[in-house]
Amino acid sequence: MRNPAGKREPGSQADLRLPRSFVERGIGSVLLVCAAVSVVVTIGIILTLLKETIGFFQRVSFKEFFFDTQWTPLFSNKHFGIWPLIAGTALTSFFAMLTAIPLGLMSAVYLSEYAPERIRKALKPSLEVLAGIPTVVYGYFALTFVTPLLQKVIPGLAGFNAISPGIVMGIMITPIVASLSEDAIYSVPLSLREAALALGGSRLRTTFRVVIPTAFSGIVASFILGMSRAIGETMIVTIAAGQQPRFTLDPRVPIETMTAYIVQVSLGDTPHGTIEYSTIFAVGMLLFLITLVFNLIAHFMKKRFLRGVL
Amino acid sequence: MNKNMEEHYRSPREFDFSGIKPEEAIITTDNVQAWFHKTIALKGISLPIARGKVTAIIGPSGCGKSTFIRTLNRMHEVVPGAGLRGRVLFEGQDIYSPEVNPIVVRKKIGMVFQKPNPFPMMSIRQNVASGFLLQGIRSDHLDEKVEYYLRQAALWDEVKDDLGKPGSSLSGGQQQRLCIARALAIEPSVLLMDEPCSALDPIATARIEDLIHSLRGRYTIVIVTHNMQQAARVADYTAFFYLGEVIEYNRTDTLFKNPANKQTEDYITGRFG
Amino acid sequence: MKRRESGKNVLNQYPADSGVEKAFKAIGIISLILPVSLLLILIIDTTADGIPRLNWSFLTSFPSRFPEKAGILSALVGSVYLIGLTAFIAIPLGIGAAIYLEEYARKNRITSLIEINISNLAGVPSIIYGLLGLGLFVRIMSLGRSLIAGALTLSLLLLPMIIMAARESLKTIPQELREAAYALGADKWMTIRKVVLPLGLPGILTGIILSLSRAIGETAPLITIGALTYIAFLPESLTSPFTTLPIQIFNWISRPQKEFHVNAAAGILVLLIIMLLMNALAIWLRIRLQKRNV
């Protein structure tokens, strides 16, 4: 059979030179630009926040921001003490973690140590559905369902409060905590469990004395990431926690979180250039820095954990 | 590192008994040294590869035989951390000189891998024609060509009614012949085979060996194998590699019947490796 | 991460569980079931509230001062436009970045800087992206409180998610197939286009659809850039003001009248149905494309 391509006889002089194609040379740089966009975004976030924050601190002293205990930028008698917003955020986040840590950790231990492989594989993704539900829906749930329910149990609970959105936020964060803790617990080598077993430890003891301590920094990393999510969460607390910045640790009364304040101002007609307008960037800067620190701590704890295990 | 490598340089005459004359060689390597990060894989290989012949590379695992054939079509550099010094002359041109495009080199020097790796998203027909697709060439008479190269790879009769099926639906041995057809379709003059039978059963192995015999003469074949019987069955020339060096290079029958080097003798009689 | 496949049985060979163990196991199961059952209650509760209001005129009416006349037309159309536009911007950027990091980037400082940066961006609260959008797109680029400003903001928010999902997918493609393509004389870009991308597509698409379904529920960053809560017309161009479904829902929730809460419930049902459909689409696409890839 004749070769349909009319092949050149082997041995004829070959020319190995051929410029690389135009696309081949250009595409790497185009793709690099795509990847660099993410860096530009970070720089953009920092510059945007910094610009207005600097403007803010030219008019309001650090001392007032960090030591005054009233936050009333929208009133005629303006105070710029950040503490009421921090207290609000801390309160709702506290109740969120109070819900998410036990639920998430127990789910993780059960999935990793007790559940049959089949159930583990089926349940993990279905938990993640929980994390995908829009937060505005959770907010509606907190306001119209959980708060009335809690009002029957807790005397003096206002219609807007820190407990109800906190708990609902905790439900939303549970899958994140559970999934990340489970990863950590699951990656504890089997040989460690077998060693504990061989020493006559019960399964429960093995889990709590060997497995969890080994996975500890990985588990704590999942708590910190969950915490960072709670601090940055916006719609649930805006809808169900109220919009009254109050320097209190009473979870039953309306409060305001940092995120809810940003929404409150954004909903109004605050003109660009005013002090009210720049407050949301100052609050945003603080929020950005807090979550960044939490995320970085979680990142390094996770890294340390993985180095320790592998 | 480079200083150390100079010490390893030996003149070809010490181990090369093949008697291949320069004009008979299609590829000549000249003191090829290769490494991954800080690990040295080849310590200066100088070998002629005879045109139209089958050359086998044997040696214990880790001796650098796979690395060596990957330096012949510039596939070595695809691995992260890989580095190389020395020259590989193909038809008298150094394939590592800066103006050479590795893509053209790979079109002239095809390769078949250890594990059959047909493209899973392509049919049998598309797999054979994948070289054209990947080089961005629009090709006429595609059906004719597919048939021609499947016949070359001794696979046509088994698959002619299933050309639309995915390549991964074939058995391991058929997949490997499909990969050979795919490699032949880009019309190389040299075919490198990196342990092509290591993942196959004895019957499939025999079919590949038959195929190598039928391709002899039209193509130059370099085959890496850990199976000495296979080298003895298919190769005209055999090189024995050990610890990144060529220990002995000769006509296959001489090398196996009358090795010049003690290490070669130990290896082929099964005393180590 | 490669998972242990066997081994569970070793642990299951314990002697009969003690009472404490049984109690602990029960706690574990309850911890798993509790959030999921709360989710069920949420859905049932919302459905009960919203289903009477969910009819054709609800879908085809503009918002109104009268709860029984109000509808979600402008919000629904706004959401669809916004997500379409966001996908158009974020998908090429995200896939491009993923290809760069997986296929082109050398392991050096710049690459690890980009990687750390992306994983950090994924943890930045969405409302911060809203502030970025407000400062950058609305003010500096003077796009106003427009559809395009919203889409750009959401694109930046989605970018880390899409990049990470696409990278996961590209990581699963065996190196041998890339080598096979190189050995056939393909250049890098051809190898990516004809081998890597077709094989990675099911995973990439699933990741994209899932992140878009997250985006459709995003509220906070859009409120921050000033998407309006009351709009009685459809967006006509990229620079039109707009509203979206979750913003409309939020608006109704924040009204004191109970009747508007019913509208919110109905709106939530529509939102959840859209998300459910998108998730189903992701699963269907994945199965279909994987079949093709056998």
Side-chain angles (χ1 to χ4, degrees):
Chain A
M1 182 172 182
R2 200 183 59 84
N3 180 339
K7 197 166 95 68
R8 213 178 357 85
E9 277 305 300
S12 61
Q13 183 62 30
D15 188 5
L16 302 177
R17 284 166 306 171
L18 177 90
R20 298 207 300 155
S21 80
F22 182 69
V23 178
E24 175 75 3
R25 270 177 297 163
I27 200 78
S29 336
V30 173
L31 295 173
L32 172 63
V33 169
C34 292
V37 167
S38 71
V39 179
V40 175
V41 171
T42 307
I43 297 171
I45 287 176
I46 293 170
L47 287 184
T48 311
L49 294 178
L50 209 58
K51 178 170 162 262
E52 296 288 339
T53 306
I54 289 171
F56 173 79
F57 280 113
Q58 278 165 351
R59 291 199 253 179
V60 175
S61 68
F62 271 107
K63 192 173 156 239
E64 178 170 7
F65 191 69
F66 286 111
F67 291 100
D68 197 331
T69 54
Q70 285 187 68
W71 179 260
T72 56
L74 305 180
F75 296 145
S76 49
N77 177 23
K78 293 187 194 313
H79 284 273
F80 297 97
I82 192 68
W83 285 106
L85 296 185
I86 291 183
T89 298
L91 265 180
T92 51
S93 305
F94 172 75
F95 283 97
M97 295 323 284
L98 206 62
T99 313
I101 287 181
L103 284 181
L105 184 58
M106 289 301 122
S107 307
V109 170
Y110 175 76
L111 279 177
S112 172
E113 303 296 305
Y114 290 83
E117 190 67 17
R118 201 162 35 85
I119 293 187
R120 201 186 76 82
K121 275 192 177 138
L123 271 180
K124 246 191 124 179
S126 67
L127 266 182
E128 270 152 33
V129 175
L130 277 172
I133 292 185
T135 52
V136 67
V137 176
Y138 278 114
Y140 172 85
F141 186 56
L143 183 71
T144 65
F145 187 85
V146 179
T147 300
L149 203 68
L150 289 176
Q151 277 173 328
K152 289 182 191 146
V153 194
I154 303 170
L157 187 71
F160 295 108
N161 59 73
I163 303 176
S164 162
I167 291 173
V168 172
M169 205 149 74
I171 302 284
M172 186 194 80
I173 291 166
T174 298
I176 298 166
V177 173
S179 174
L180 293 172
S181 303
E182 205 267 348
D183 285 342
I185 294 172
Y186 203 98
S187 59
V188 171
L190 193 65
S191 59
L192 278 183
R193 294 184 178 82
E194 285 169 337
L197 223 166
L199 293 170
S202 71
R203 170 144 66 170
L204 198 65
R205 287 237 169 83
T206 307
T207 303
F208 280 91
R209 294 283 166 78
V210 176
V211 178
I212 291 183
T214 310
F216 188 71
S217 51
I219 293 171
V220 173
S222 80
F223 294 167
I224 294 174
L225 275 182
M227 185 83 180
S228 156
R229 284 293 279 270
I231 293 170
E233 170 41 42
T234 309
M235 295 320 291
I236 301 176
V237 288
T238 306
I239 291 170
Q243 279 160 13
Q244 298 174 30
R246 204 187 289 231
F247 189 39
T248 176
L249 289 177
D250 182 352
R252 296 170 305 164
V253 295
I255 44 102
E256 183 164 47
T257 64
M258 294 193 276
T259 50
Y261 174 74
I262 298 175
V263 169
Q264 187 195 359
V265 173
S266 304
L267 283 171
D269 299 317
T270 312
H272 173 62
T274 60
I275 184 83
E276 291 88 340
Y277 177 81
S278 56
T279 52
I280 60 173
F281 288 89
V283 172
M285 185 64 148
L286 188 62
L287 184 65
F288 175 71
L289 290 178
I290 293 173
T291 52
L292 183 69
V293 168
F294 274 69
N295 291 343
L296 287 177
I297 294 174
H299 177 79
F300 287 115
M301 291 200 78
K302 201 171 154 191
K303 232 177 161 179
R304 210 184 70 179
F305 164 67
L306 288 177
R307 246 207 322 270
V309 169
L310 303 178
Chain B
M1 171 160 51
N2 297 337
K3 263 259 154 62
N4 287 339
M5 283 187 155
E6 299 294 348
E7 292 168 18
H8 292 293
Y9 185 84
R10 297 180 302 161
S11 98
R13 289 198 169 57
E14 285 175 39
F15 55 84
D16 181 3
F17 307 105
S18 65
I20 297 169
K21 297 191 191 80
E23 64 273 17
E24 288 169 351
I26 184 166
I27 296 176
T28 310
T29 72
D30 177 13
N31 194 25
V32 169
Q33 304 160 356
W35 58 88
F36 299 98
H37 298 288
K38 297 224 161 88
T39 317
I40 294 168
L42 296 176
K43 298 173 182 168
I45 307 290
S46 302
L47 277 189
I49 306 287
R51 186 189 311 279
K53 304 289 183 190
V54 179
T55 304
I57 314 282
I58 62 169
S61 13
C63 68
K65 54 192 193 293
S66 284
T67 307
F68 175 66
I69 68 161
R70 291 171 67 98
T71 64
L72 300 183
N73 69 339
R74 296 194 62 170
M75 285 298 287
H76 175 64
E77 67 206 49
V78 170
V79 182
L84 181 129
R85 280 184 66 200
R87 297 192 308 158
V88 175
L89 302 173
F90 170 70
E91 306 280 19
Q93 281 186 78
D94 181 10
I95 63 170
Y96 286 97
S97 81
E99 74 274 12
V100 166
N101 186 339
I103 285 154
V104 185
V105 173
R106 294 178 198 139
K107 285 182 198 173
K108 314 243 182 228
I109 307 175
M111 188 162 207
V112 175
F113 296 83
Q114 196 167 354
K115 224 177 93 198
N117 54 1
F119 296 116
M121 67 292 186
M122 295 182 191
S123 66
I124 293 172
R125 178 191 285 113
Q126 288 168 328
N127 258 293
V128 177
S130 58
F132 307 119
L133 177 82
L134 286 163
Q135 293 172 16
I137 299 169
R138 229 173 277 265
S139 189
D140 317 320
H141 313 292
L142 209 56
D143 284 344
E144 252 179 88
K145 285 185 188 172
V146 167
E147 178 179 345
Y148 177 81
Y149 290 108
L150 281 171
R151 280 185 192 281
Q152 292 270 299
L155 188 60
W156 173 253
D157 293 331
E158 290 158 64
V159 301
K160 62 183 174 207
D161 301 322
D162 301 318
L163 292 177
K165 283 197 180 164
S168 45
S169 66
L170 298 173
S171 74
Q174 290 173 321
Q175 286 188 20
Q176 194 60 299
R177 278 179 280 147
L178 178 61
C179 291
I180 294 173
R182 179 176 74 180
L184 294 179
I186 59 171
E187 292 154 25
S189 36
V190 179
L191 191 60
L192 307 175
M193 302 175 119
D194 187 359
E195 303 201 27
C197 303
S198 64
L200 305 183
D201 61 58
I203 295 168
T205 301
R207 302 217 52 171
I208 304 271
E209 287 179 11
D210 289 345
L211 174 57
I212 292 172
H213 279 296
S214 73
L215 297 174
R216 184 196 311 268
R218 273 172 297 163
Y219 298 91
T220 306
I221 295 177
V222 183
I223 176 170
V224 166
T225 175
H226 60 266
N227 178 340
M228 280 175 284
Q229 286 76 35
Q230 182 169 62
R233 284 192 298 264
V234 301
D236 302 298
Y237 294 94
T238 298
F240 171 57
F241 273 52
Y242 185 61
L243 297 177
E245 289 177 286
V246 191
I247 304 300
E248 190 167 344
Y249 183 43
N250 207 335
R251 303 193 62 87
T252 302
D253 44 1
T254 324
L255 186 119
F256 278 99
K257 280 184 199 133
N258 192 12
N261 186 298
K262 180 81 170 60
Q263 276 174 307
T264 315
E265 189 181 348
D266 287 349
Y267 181 69
I268 60 180
T269 51
R271 247 166 273 169
F272 83 101
Chain C
M1 194 183 301
K2 184 121 174 70
R3 285 299 201 172
R4 238 182 13 239
E5 287 305 330
S6 62
K8 287 282 143 177
N9 15 6
V10 176
L11 289 173
N12 287 336
Q13 281 161 5
Y14 274 100
D17 288 349
S18 68
V20 187
E21 299 245 2
K22 276 188 189 140
F24 181 75
K25 213 167 157 180
I27 293 174
I29 293 174
I30 291 169
S31 305
L32 266 173
I33 292 173
L34 196 66
V36 179
S37 47
L38 277 170
L39 173 71
L40 277 181
I41 294 173
L42 161 64
I43 290 171
I44 293 166
D45 176 54
T46 313
T47 313
D49 288 352
I51 207 95
R53 193 68 193 78
L54 200 57
N55 51 37
W56 187 247
S57 80
F58 182 69
L59 295 177
T60 54
S61 303
F62 287 108
S64 158
R65 282 185 295 127
F66 308 103
E68 65 282 1
K69 281 190 188 165
I72 54 169
L73 181 64
S74 51
L76 200 56
V77 173
S79 274
V80 170
Y81 281 2
L82 186 71
I83 291 304
L85 213 53
T86 303
F88 185 74
I89 301 166
I91 291 173
L93 272 179
I95 295 181
I99 294 175
Y100 177 79
L101 291 171
E102 280 305 310
E103 309 287 331
Y104 280 85
R106 287 164 200 278
K107 294 259 169 284
N108 59 22
R109 266 216 204 124
I110 295 174
T111 307
S112 67
L113 180 85
I114 293 178
E115 283 175 342
I116 292 174
N117 179 57
I118 287 170
S119 67
N120 264 321
L121 274 182
V124 171
S126 62
I127 195 161
I128 300 288
Y129 285 91
L131 290 174
L132 170 68
L134 177 62
L136 183 63
F137 303 128
V138 178
R139 299 285 172 209
I140 295 175
M141 290 169 68
S142 345
L143 295 171
R145 307 179 156 195
S146 61
L147 205 52
I148 183 73
L152 285 168
T153 307
L154 277 193
S155 301
L156 301 187
L157 177 66
L158 288 200
L159 209 50
M161 275 188 259
I162 293 180
I163 294 174
M164 291 199 286
R167 285 188 71 183
E168 281 310 311
S169 179
L170 294 178
K171 272 199 178 85
T172 61
I173 295 161
Q175 191 60 28
E176 297 103 70
L177 292 177
R178 294 187 181 89
E179 295 202 343
Y182 291 143
L184 290 170
D187 59 24
K188 194 160 195 153
W189 179 236
M190 267 299 179
T191 304
I192 290 167
R193 253 181 58 196
K194 303 287 184 183
V195 178
V196 176
L197 277 183
L199 279 171
L201 209 57
I204 296 177
L205 274 181
T206 310
I208 286 174
I209 294 174
L210 290 182
S211 47
L212 285 179
S213 95
R214 289 273 167 100
I216 215 163
E218 270 300 341
T219 324
L222 296 177
I223 292 179
T224 311
I225 65 157
L228 298 179
T229 51
Y230 183 93
I231 283 199
F233 53 87
L234 298 181
E236 283 168 349
S237 73
L238 291 182
T239 51
S240 296
F242 69 104
T243 190
T244 69
L245 201 43
I247 292 177
Q248 183 62 62
I249 293 168
F250 171 64
N251 176 261
W252 280 330
I253 295 175
S254 14
R255 306 272 184 104
Q257 302 95 319
K258 271 271 175 277
E259 295 78 11
F260 279 114
H261 286 188
V262 173
N263 283 1
I268 286 173
L269 282 181
V270 175
L271 184 61
L272 290 180
I273 289 168
I274 292 175
M275 292 184 61
L276 201 69
L277 288 177
M278 288 179 81
N279 280 279
L281 176 70
I283 295 168
W284 179 77
L285 261 177
R286 189 189 195 104
I287 292 171
R288 218 184 114 88
L289 288 170
Q290 266 172 353
K291 215 177 256 166
R292 207 190 64 185
N293 282 355
V294 184

